[in-house]
Amino acid sequence: MLENSLFEKVRAIPKRNYITQKTPLQKLPNLSKALGGKAEIYIKRDDMLPFGGNKTRKLEFLFQEAVDMEADTIITASTVQCNHNLMALLMANMEGMKTELILENWAKSDYSYELDPNKHLYEFGGVSGKVSCGDPVSGPLHTMKLALDWKDELEAAGKRPYILARGGTCPLGNCGYILCAEELLQQGKDMGLEFDCVVCPSGTGGTQAGLIIGLTQAGCDIPVIGINVAQMNEKQRKSVSGALESTASFLNLEVPSEEQVLCYEEYVGEGYARPTEALLQAIALLAQTEGILLDPVYSGKAMAGLIGLIRNGEIKEGSKVLFLHTGGFNPYYDYSSLNLSK
């Protein structure tokens, strides 16, 4: 472990320790070659975290808080295209808690939960309570009102609910990616590597903010390039900046400068969970060169961004680039003919 007061401070915060070992950091020589050798590309395999993706780093802090509060029910929300809800459900099961899920859809206005093949994963997990489907128009504000209403109902019934932040993005949850920054720096040191930039998906902003804070406090000027997966920069930069400010305040740190918030909107396409041709090509290229699969909502768009930035020269030739694979495979279950009522 690196000697750094911030990392020591964050390591001292109680968490559930769902993560017992570092995720692999590996070189991608075939992808680098396919892109003309313009950059030396590495990948951080957070898709291999327990429960299926990067949310684990955040949720192990938040579930500790829920346990400390003696919560018996988790209330949380995210989109049907995100693995946050399913991971929260599985963790809650392990902790002996019930779960109230709010499932939003941001891809199709005529979405029906009953027609979604992913619903079987929730049923296997024994989802309890209410399931509601929002839409892009009502969005997070509607979701928060619904969560608060459910909290009031549960408390009135004598329950002890805990509202879990969407995507785990909140000051406490973002600490998970401060520790990820420590982890990747240690791995780079062990491998004799100094990275020129880190590329990651930028959604709720917590992952990118945690990395920025961790790297900055370690004295590294490695830029963290966020590839927007949901919205344009006018909103996305505010999301990341807000996560930086709240997390820095939580840890009594100086807020990183606005210049460190790097977000690229060119790869969003028509919006969240709406694939682009560049995304499809990126998924195919990584699978066919390195045997690694990406998801079609987050990591696929981020890889499309990395490829685009290398090809257009914004990532300088000869750079050592680290790509953060955030995972996201759980919600792509395709056995829609299953009938668990039989």
Side-chain angles (χ1 to χ4, degrees), residues 220-264:
C220 298
D221 58 358
I222 304 171
V224 180
I225 298 172
I227 307 299
N228 302 6
V229 301
Q231 54 194 5
M232 305 304 279
N233 276 349
E234 182 180 359
K235 293 183 178 179
Q236 189 60 30
R237 286 181 58 84
K238 290 179 181 178
S239 294
V240 178
S241 295
L244 279 174
E245 291 171 9
S246 62
T247 307
S249 175
F250 174 69
L251 295 168
N252 295 315
L253 302 172
E254 183 178 344
V255 180
S257 69
E258 282 292 319
E259 288 72 27
Q260 291 176 267
V261 180
L262 304 176
C263 298
Y264 283 80

Side-chain angles (χ1 to χ4, degrees), residues 30-223:
N30 298 327
L31 177 64
S32 301
K33 182 178 179 181
L35 295 176
K38 294 182 178 180
E40 193 173 305
I41 307 170
Y42 295 78
I43 190 168
K44 177 69 171 159
R45 297 292 304 275
D46 273 13
D47 58 308
M48 298 176 70
L49 284 166
F51 299 98
N54 73 318
K55 304 294 189 296
T56 306
R57 290 193 187 271
K58 303 175 183 180
L59 297 187
E60 65 175 3
F61 282 95
L62 300 182
F63 266 90
Q64 182 66 58
E65 184 174 63
V67 169
D68 291 344
M69 293 172 58
E70 299 184 343
D72 57 19
T73 307
I74 297 294
I75 301 173
T76 197
S78 193
T79 66
V80 296
Q81 297 87 9
C82 178
N83 63 359
H84 168 81
N85 277 347
L86 182 62
M87 293 173 71
L89 170 62
L90 297 175
M91 289 179 187
N93 289 345
M94 188 173 68
E95 300 290 359
M97 301 174 185
K98 299 295 184 182
T99 312
E100 298 266 6
L101 292 179
I102 302 170
L103 298 176
E104 301 172 353
N105 174 66
W106 286 25
K108 297 179 181 178
S109 58
D110 59 349
Y111 171 80
S112 168
Y113 173 72
E114 291 304 316
L115 297 178
D116 192 315
N118 299 323
K119 77 185 185 75
H120 298 300
L121 289 174
Y122 294 98
E123 291 167 355
F124 282 137
V127 63
S128 59
K130 304 172 184 176
V131 178
S132 174
C133 295
D135 58 67
V137 177
S138 57
L141 292 179
H142 169 76
T143 296
M144 180 53 66
K145 181 181 183 304
L146 189 55
L148 291 172
D149 288 345
W150 288 3
K151 184 174 185 287
D152 290 342
E153 291 176 17
L154 288 167
E155 288 177 337
K159 301 292 185 181
R160 299 183 301 277
Y162 175 89
I163 295 181
L164 188 67
R166 63 187 303 121
T169 295
C170 63
L172 179 59
N174 297 344
C175 289
Y177 268 89
I178 292 176
L179 293 186
C180 181
E182 177 189 28
E183 187 176 304
L184 67 87
L185 285 173
Q186 183 63 63
Q187 288 174 307
K189 181 179 179 181
D190 293 343
M191 297 168 70
L193 294 170
E194 291 186 8
F195 297 107
D196 295 296
C197 64
V198 175
V199 177
C200 67
S202 189
T204 54
T207 295
Q208 188 176 0
L211 289 173
I212 291 171
I213 289 173
L215 294 174
T216 300
Q217 290 296 315
C220 298
D221 58 358
I222 304 171

